[in-house]
Amino acid sequence: MLLRGPSGTGKTLIAGTVATKAINIGETRDIEMEFVEINGKHKKSEHEAVHQITHEFERALDLRYTSKTGVSTSSRYDRLFEIVDDHLDFGIVILDELDLLVGDNRNKDKAPAFSDILYKLSRAKRIGKMDSAFTLIVTTNSPNNLMNGLNSRTDSTFNPTEVSFADYNAEELREILEHRQDAFYEEALDTEVIPYVAAIAAQGEGDARFAIDLLREAGNIANRREETIVTTEHVEQAKNQVEKNYVVDIIENVSVQKQVSLFAAAIVNQYGQQQLKQSDLFTEQSVPAPVAHTLYNWITEHKDIEQRSKHSFLRWMRELDTYEVIELNRKGRGNERGVFAEYIFHNLSAEVMVETLADKDDRLADILEEEDMIKPVVRNNLKNF
């Protein structure tokens, strides 16, 4: 199955619920089933993802754990096929946000990591010479990215039943939030709070997870202030923090190369504010892609980080646009000077991104210690663009 739709609309919850119900039905019919779940956002390669799937089946079936190191990807698949064939009739695998599992070492001629995983699991009976089988439940916020990323052999093998999940409207979100009132003391919520939170979430992505997080954070703010009533003012203050938390969670879990690429673009914005404010072409939140790529090259050269091609850099930044970490626009330069890509920091400021990424990687933190060296590089490149 392919469950498609925006974040926070219940895809993962429904996938787990359906798998659990299937297992319960199987028990009445003497059919052995178990399900495991992994999230593509938190996995950097096919190798890591298959190890996690194997490990989750080992945990669920109380088996000896396979070592995480010193074992080839092919051997991991062999172990996975062996486990399911020896202990189950069906192994249900929930692949959450699978479109985000593209792999660290992908080039333009190679399909993303999720394509190989889907092929091998959907063909497991034949590849692993199994009597048992896998059934796959895939969730994605970007079905086009997922299906367009499949190579021809996977495309012909993976033919899921698709189920679309729509955004929640304000009334539905209000009903969901009313079931969360028991997290608060009686009468601790102002009567306007739940309708207000539901309206904010409905105007955005129709995301129930966002609505619940927003209500929780509003309560946290009131609690820190030792105030007994949660009001719409607390909700308004919580909104920016929740949005920041979403973006921070994403950038902390993408690959190192994507982090370096994002850091380079954010550095351009942070150190180039004077030029950006004076320009008729840019805004205070934007960065021209060619300048960001120049800084990526400068950082990788000075910090002994593997430098990848411009094509890879641009692809990673497009993926970050898909994750809504940045916004990618195309803009004309006028006077027949062509069109360029522009990155816009709209959900989280470049300054916060720089701090977040520097906290994760000492090499990027060192860049901030060399401000006097990197500032002229940024400003000269913006000036000459």
Side-chain angles (χ1 to χ4, degrees):
M1 300 179 69
L2 176 64
L3 310 186
R4 51 190 290 172
S7 297
T9 50
K11 299 185 300 295
T12 307
L13 176 65
I14 291 298
T17 301
V18 168
T20 300
K21 286 182 178 291
I23 290 170
N24 292 338
I25 293 170
E27 288 177 353
T28 67
R29 302 179 183 179
D30 199 28
I31 299 173
E32 292 292 329
M33 292 188 280
E34 188 57 72
F35 88 89
V36 303
E37 176 187 334
I38 69 161
N39 190 304
K41 180 171 68 175
H42 303 306
K43 297 291 171 283
K44 295 181 172 61
S45 65
E46 177 188 7
H47 185 81
E48 187 177 333
V50 175
H51 170 78
Q52 185 64 35
I53 294 169
T54 305
H55 173 80
E56 292 299 328
F57 273 117
E58 289 167 339
R59 182 189 59 79
L61 297 168
D62 196 24
L63 303 175
R64 176 182 57 83
Y65 286 178
T66 305
S67 172
K68 191 172 183 178
T69 58
V71 181
S72 68
T73 304
S74 176
S75 296
R76 293 187 193 280
Y77 276 111
D78 290 342
R79 170 64 174 162
L80 175 60
F81 298 159
E82 176 189 347
I83 289 171
V84 173
D85 207 30
D86 287 350
H87 297 275
L88 300 170
D89 297 299
F90 286 97
I92 304 171
V93 182
I94 299 174
L95 300 165
D96 197 19
E97 299 186 281
L98 186 62
D99 54 290
L100 302 185
L101 179 59
V102 294
D104 267 349
N105 300 315
R106 182 187 171 198
N107 58 54
K108 64 180 181 180
D109 299 318
K110 184 178 179 182
F114 62 73
S115 180
D116 285 337
I117 289 177
L118 287 177
Y119 177 77
K120 289 165 185 169
L121 292 183
S122 59
R123 300 274 290 180
K125 281 183 72 73
R126 181 170 180 177
I127 295 173
K129 299 179 174 59
M130 300 170 60
D131 294 320
S132 303
F134 287 95
T135 185
L136 309 180
I137 304 178
V138 176
T139 81
T140 178
N141 306 339
S142 304
N144 290 338
N145 285 348
L146 180 76
M147 300 308 291
N148 292 340
L150 303 181
N151 59 29
S152 57
R153 65 176 188 171
T154 307
D155 192 33
S156 65
T157 301
F158 180 61
N159 297 297
T161 298
E162 296 192 23
V163 181
S164 294
F165 286 66
D167 292 340
Y168 289 108
N169 61 37
E171 183 178 345
E172 291 167 333
L173 289 168
R174 184 171 178 171
E175 182 179 349
I176 290 168
L177 293 171
E178 285 172 349
H179 286 288
R180 301 296 175 121
Q181 288 191 80
D182 58 359
F184 297 85
Y185 289 117
E186 190 174 351
E187 298 183 355
L189 293 179
D190 184 271
T191 56
E192 295 298 318
V193 165
I194 284 182
Y196 190 58
V197 172
I200 290 174
Q203 289 169 3
E205 301 297 329
D207 185 336
R209 189 184 304 117
F210 175 81
I212 293 167
D213 288 347
L214 183 55
L215 182 63
R216 180 190 301 114
E217 183 60 26
N220 288 338
I221 291 172
N223 198 44
R224 288 194 293 269
R225 293 180 178 179
E226 298 184 352
E227 296 174 355
T228 58
I229 303 295
V230 182
T231 68
T232 55
E233 179 187 348
H234 298 125
V235 174
E236 197 60 38
Q237 293 168 358
K239 182 181 174 184
N240 288 338
Q241 186 59 49
V242 172
E243 290 174 342
K244 287 179 182 179
N245 290 344
Y246 273 36
V247 176
V248 167
D249 179 61
I250 292 171
I251 65 179
E252 285 184 341
N253 288 287
V254 297
S255 69
V256 170
Q257 283 289 345
K258 289 175 189 171
Q259 290 178 353
V260 175
S261 301
L262 181 61
F263 185 82
I267 281 286
V268 172
N269 183 271
Q270 181 171 323
Y271 290 159
Q273 280 297 303
Q274 183 177 348
Q275 285 79 9
L276 294 172
K277 290 177 181 178
Q278 294 173 349
S279 172
D280 295 329
L281 192 58
F282 309 124
T283 70
E284 295 178 28
Q285 295 177 300
S286 68
V287 172
V291 178
H293 178 249
T294 298
L295 265 292
Y296 165 82
N297 287 339
W298 191 93
I299 291 169
T300 52
E301 288 170 2
H302 281 73
K303 292 301 168 187
D304 196 27
I305 299 172
E306 180 186 6
Q307 186 175 114
R308 302 288 289 276
S309 68
K310 184 176 182 179
H311 175 85
S312 294
F313 171 85
L314 295 174
R315 187 184 72 248
W316 291 324
M317 295 302 284
R318 286 196 301 271
E319 290 173 3
L320 290 167
D321 169 55
T322 301
Y323 308 159
E324 298 184 350
V325 172
I326 57 171
E327 180 180 323
L328 171 60
N329 285 336
R330 301 198 69 81
K331 183 177 286 188
R333 300 182 67 177
N335 297 324
E336 300 181 352
R337 296 177 64 195
V339 176
F340 68 95
E342 172 189 48
Y343 306 129
I344 299 175
F345 296 90
H346 60 105
N347 283 332
L348 194 64
S349 71
E351 184 177 0
V352 173
M353 287 194 183
V354 166
E355 292 174 358
T356 301
L357 292 167
D359 285 343
K360 282 188 62 67
D361 193 320
D362 290 340
R363 296 170 299 180
L364 301 183
D366 289 344
I367 295 291
L368 302 183
E369 300 296 323
E370 301 173 5
E371 186 175 298
D372 292 340
M373 183 185 301
I374 199 169
K375 271 187 176 179
V377 177
V378 169
R379 292 171 178 174
N380 287 336
N381 276 278
L382 283 173
K383 181 180 178 181
N384 297 326
F385 178 71

